[in-house]
Amino acid sequence: MNTMMKHLLAGLLAGCLSVPAYAYEEITVSDGGTLMGTVKLEGKVPKPKGYNLVTMPDQFYCGRISDGQGWRILQPFQVGPAGEFREVVVYLEGIDKGKPFGESGLPQIEAKDCLFHPFTTVVRDNQSVTVVNMDPVMHDIQAYETSHLGPRVLFNVPLPMNPQHPRNLKDRSDAGMYHKHMAGAPMKQLVNLSKGRRIFVMQCGFHAYMESWGLAVMNPYFAKTDERGRFTLTDVPPGTYKLVVWHPYVRTTTEQTVTIGPQAKVDVTIKVPAPTGRLYANEVLEHDYVRYNVPEETKKEIDPMIQKQDR
């Protein structure tokens, strides 16, 4: 785990997202309301992360998504043309009893095209997540939480390939052209966070640009924003609550007080100030350092066949 990630985890968790002391009680909600809303990012979208593919394994296969210059780009901020803030988590705090948690099964994260999907996952504490490798290359999952004492490993296990994948994808002609996705053996891992902690991050030990964040929730009143930055929470017990917006790289918590009446429909707009300054050590630079340049011959071999990324 790199130093910048350790500092980021510590900063995110040191002063926010404490766990309430109560246990959630599932009841029938007969007069619940509906909370709808839009989340927008205000300000300039932060720069993405950049990874030199030459320094990591499987450059030809993983380089099928790259910038054409031998770099893999990871943009943690998914923002639409009108500021629609996508793939962020919204949730209500202060609800100690309400509708049951959904029966949708365990959250699943897939390694596909050397990316973890989804980038953000919502879980319950002491619930398992399932991680599946769809790629013809090996991955390794390393999951961390943190505290004032520093990061703590949640789990660190290899992520096996499907045995039907070919195992000799060593040059551009093989690795670049190969596109089949077949599920390897699913790895079921328990997310057991320390007291007072609600965030964890999962990375691949081989491919640093593979990153996925998780948030543990205390009640079922949560959602992820869609392509329009929209979300909907249903069957909310009447009352006044704190609505929280969470994104792993926004350190300042965005909160709003909402009041839901019996069978009422409430629509809100939440504006999240875009973080400024350098958010990560490997932020994409306007001009690459010479020591990080990718040789011209290698650039020709790393072909962005799936997606040519913008820097």
Side-chain angles (χ1 to χ4, degrees):
M1 189 181 196
N2 61 52
T3 302
M4 193 67 180
M5 184 65 77
K6 292 179 182 178
H7 289 321
L8 175 62
L9 277 165
L12 284 167
L13 293 168
C16 63
L17 296 176
S18 59
V19 176
Y22 60 79
Y24 181 74
E25 180 184 352
E26 296 184 351
I27 62 171
T28 299
V29 179
S30 58
D31 57 350
T34 300
L35 175 64
M36 302 169 288
T38 303
V39 181
K40 296 199 171 213
L41 186 72
E42 280 199 318
K44 186 176 180 180
V45 178
K47 292 182 180 180
K49 297 180 175 185
Y51 298 86
N52 186 327
L53 288 167
V54 174
T55 64
M56 298 177 195
D58 310 304
Q59 57 187 327
F60 303 131
Y61 179 79
C62 296
R64 298 181 312 151
I65 299 176
S66 59
D67 70 346
Q69 301 296 312
W71 288 74
R72 183 69 176 259
I73 309 302
L74 175 65
Q75 175 52 277
F77 291 83
Q78 301 301 315
V79 184
E84 305 95 332
F85 206 177
R86 304 163 175 167
E87 291 292 307
V88 295
V89 179
V90 294
Y91 63 94
L92 290 174
E93 283 193 344
I95 301 181
D96 57 2
K97 59 178 65 175
K99 68 178 180 180
F101 278 88
E103 300 297 331
S104 57
L106 299 179
Q108 179 164 307
I109 300 169
E110 289 187 350
K112 188 175 182 180
D113 294 319
C114 300
L115 287 172
F116 279 135
H117 299 279
F119 184 72
T120 53
T121 303
V122 182
V123 302
R124 297 170 66 178
D125 195 11
N126 286 315
Q127 181 187 45
S128 295
V129 295
T130 300
V131 190
V132 178
N133 186 4
M134 305 294 290
D135 287 336
V137 296
M138 284 294 298
H139 296 304
D140 175 74
I141 46 176
Q142 302 175 352
Y144 303 88
E145 64 154 8
T146 194
S147 71
H148 65 286
L149 300 175
R152 180 179 76 89
V153 176
L154 292 175
F155 49 86
N156 183 358
V157 295
L159 196 56
M161 293 167 44
N162 186 304
Q164 299 303 313
H165 280 306
R167 294 180 177 269
N168 59 345
L169 301 177
K170 297 185 182 300
D171 59 33
R172 194 198 77 81
S173 61
D174 283 345
M177 295 296 293
Y178 190 79
H179 64 276
K180 293 181 180 179
H181 296 110
M182 296 184 288
M187 302 302 292
K188 182 178 176 182
Q189 298 296 319
L190 179 67
V191 178
N192 183 10
L193 301 174
S194 300
K195 183 178 180 180
R197 304 302 171 190
R198 295 176 65 175
I199 299 173
F200 70 93
V201 60
M202 190 178 76
Q203 296 177 297
C204 176
F206 303 139
H207 312 98
Y209 38 84
M210 295 179 63
E211 181 181 311
S212 181
W213 291 80
L215 173 69
V217 294
M218 311 309 294
N219 63 59
Y221 296 100
F222 64 87
K224 287 172 62 175
T225 56
D226 62 16
E227 287 292 302
R228 298 181 299 147
R230 296 283 297 174
F231 68 91
T232 301
L233 304 176
T234 60
D235 298 320
V236 181
T240 298
Y241 308 107
K242 182 191 297 182
L243 178 65
V244 183
V245 179
W246 177 77
H247 182 280
Y249 285 98
V250 178
R251 298 193 184 191
T252 303
T253 304
T254 300
E255 301 174 350
Q256 184 170 320
T257 300
V258 294
T259 299
I260 311 296
Q263 300 183 353
K265 291 186 177 181
V266 178
D267 201 318
V268 298
T269 297
I270 306 168
K271 297 180 179 179
V272 179
T276 57
R278 190 163 182 170
L279 300 184
Y280 11 79
N282 56 329
E283 179 182 280
V284 167
L285 303 173
E286 298 295 337
H287 302 287
D288 298 334
Y289 290 127
V290 173
R291 68 172 185 251
Y292 293 142
N293 280 349
V294 179
E296 290 298 325
E297 289 303 312
T298 306
K299 288 181 184 178
K300 296 176 183 177
E301 295 183 321
I302 299 177
D303 189 354
M305 301 179 67
I306 295 178
Q307 178 187 352
K308 186 173 182 180
Q309 298 179 301
D310 295 325
R311 302 183 72 179

